[in-house]
Amino acid sequence: FESDGEVVLGTSRAAVNDVLLPLRTAVVAARAGLPISPTTLSNLGALPDIPQPWPAMARELFADLLASGPGLVGTWEGLDQAGIVDRWLPEWAAVRSRPQRNAVHRHTVDRHLVETVVHASGLVRSVSRPDLLLLAALLHDIGKIRGAGDHSVVGAPLAERVVARMGYGAADVATIGLLVREHLTLIELATRRDHDDPRTVQAVVDTVDGRRDVLDLLTALTEADAVAAGP
C-alpha cells in the first residue's frame, strides 16, 4: 500500500513467510516511483531467502523489477541499504561503490550497472528475450573487482553463476556469459575497424555464433552501456 508517499506492507499475516514479498514490494515501488518505508525494508529483510534455484515466479518478478524504468534506481538503493540485494546477488558486494578506472564513466560501478538496466528497459522491444537483456545489463561489469585484469573475461563466469542460481537453463546461462564477455566487442569493432572490410563483418558474426537474436541482445546492451556511461 501507499502511505504518506511511501510503500508499506498491509496487516495481513498470510504473507509473513512469503519469500517473494521483497520482490513483489520492489516491483510496486519501482513502478510507482515511491520509496519503500524503512520499517517495511526491515520487515522484508527478516523474511527467509528465496530457495535456490529460484522458482519461475521469482525470475518473472525480478525481470519485472529490472524493466520498471527510472524508478528502479531509488528502489534498488533502498533494497541495497537494507541488505536485500546482497541476499539476491552476493556478488554485488564486490562492486558496491567501486570507483571506475575510466574517466568517461560518471557513476561508480554499481550505480552504472543500475543505470544501464534503466536504459536497457527502453530497448526491450528490440530483442526477443527482454529478461536476458536486462540481466546482462545488470551484470555486464560484475567483473570489475579488485585484482581483475580483463573485467569482461572475469565477469562472464560470475554472471553465469548468478543466472544459474536463479534457475535459468544452460542455454540462457551460456547466452548471458557471452553477452558479458563480449559487451565491449561491438564498440571496439565500430571504432577501430573498417566497416567495409568483410573481416569486420565476419568478426561480428563469429562473436555471436552466427545468431541474430544474440546480435540484437548485444547491440541493445552496447547502446545501454554507452549511454549509461556518459554523454
Side-chain angles (χ1 to χ4, degrees):
F1 297 90
E2 183 272 330
S3 177
D4 293 330
E6 295 179 324
V7 173
V8 300
L9 297 177
T11 57
S12 172
R13 303 296 297 175
V16 70
N17 290 316
D18 181 2
V19 297
L20 302 185
L21 190 58
L23 281 168
R24 299 184 199 278
T25 307
V27 171
V28 170
R31 286 177 172 174
L34 295 173
I36 304 173
S37 79
T39 299
T40 294
L41 283 170
S42 178
N43 290 333
L44 293 174
L47 290 170
D49 289 338
I50 301 172
Q52 298 178 10
W54 284 16
M57 182 56 70
R59 294 193 297 274
E60 293 174 11
L61 286 168
F62 194 72
D64 288 343
L65 173 61
L66 298 184
S68 57
L72 174 66
V73 176
T75 299
W76 192 269
E77 289 179 352
L79 295 167
D80 197 17
Q81 291 173 8
I84 296 173
V85 169
D86 280 352
R87 294 169 65 182
W88 292 342
L89 305 171
E91 295 80 2
W92 195 258
V95 298
R96 181 182 293 109
S97 302
R98 188 162 182 78
Q100 299 277 5
R101 295 179 180 178
N102 193 324
V104 72
H105 281 278
R106 56 186 168 187
H107 296 300
T108 57
V109 175
D110 56 337
R111 177 61 183 271
H112 168 71
L113 291 173
V114 177
E115 290 286 342
T116 303
V117 175
V118 172
H119 289 289
S121 69
L123 302 172
V124 294
R125 295 184 183 277
S126 67
V127 299
S128 60
R129 287 294 301 276
D131 56 335
L132 296 187
L133 170 60
L134 296 170
L135 281 168
L138 183 69
L139 300 170
H140 74 278
D141 278 349
I142 203 68
K144 285 188 173 179
I145 58 179
R146 185 180 301 276
D150 186 336
H151 74 276
S152 301
V153 173
V154 172
L158 295 176
E160 289 175 345
R161 185 171 69 195
V162 170
V163 294
R165 196 168 60 235
M166 289 180 171
Y168 282 87
D172 290 342
V173 170
T175 297
I176 289 292
L178 185 154
L179 293 171
V180 172
R181 186 171 58 254
E182 304 292 348
H183 75 270
L184 297 176
T185 299
L186 293 187
I187 285 287
E188 293 174 354
L189 291 174
T191 58
R192 300 181 183 181
R193 296 278 290 271
D194 179 1
H195 299 180
D196 294 325
D197 187 339
R199 290 173 297 181
T200 302
V201 177
Q202 190 60 48
V204 174
V205 173
D206 291 344
T207 294
V208 298
D209 297 331
R211 291 176 53 188
R212 178 55 188 263
D213 60 325
V214 176
L215 178 58
D216 290 341
L217 286 166
L218 187 59
T219 301
L221 174 60
T222 301
E223 178 177 341
D225 183 20
V227 173

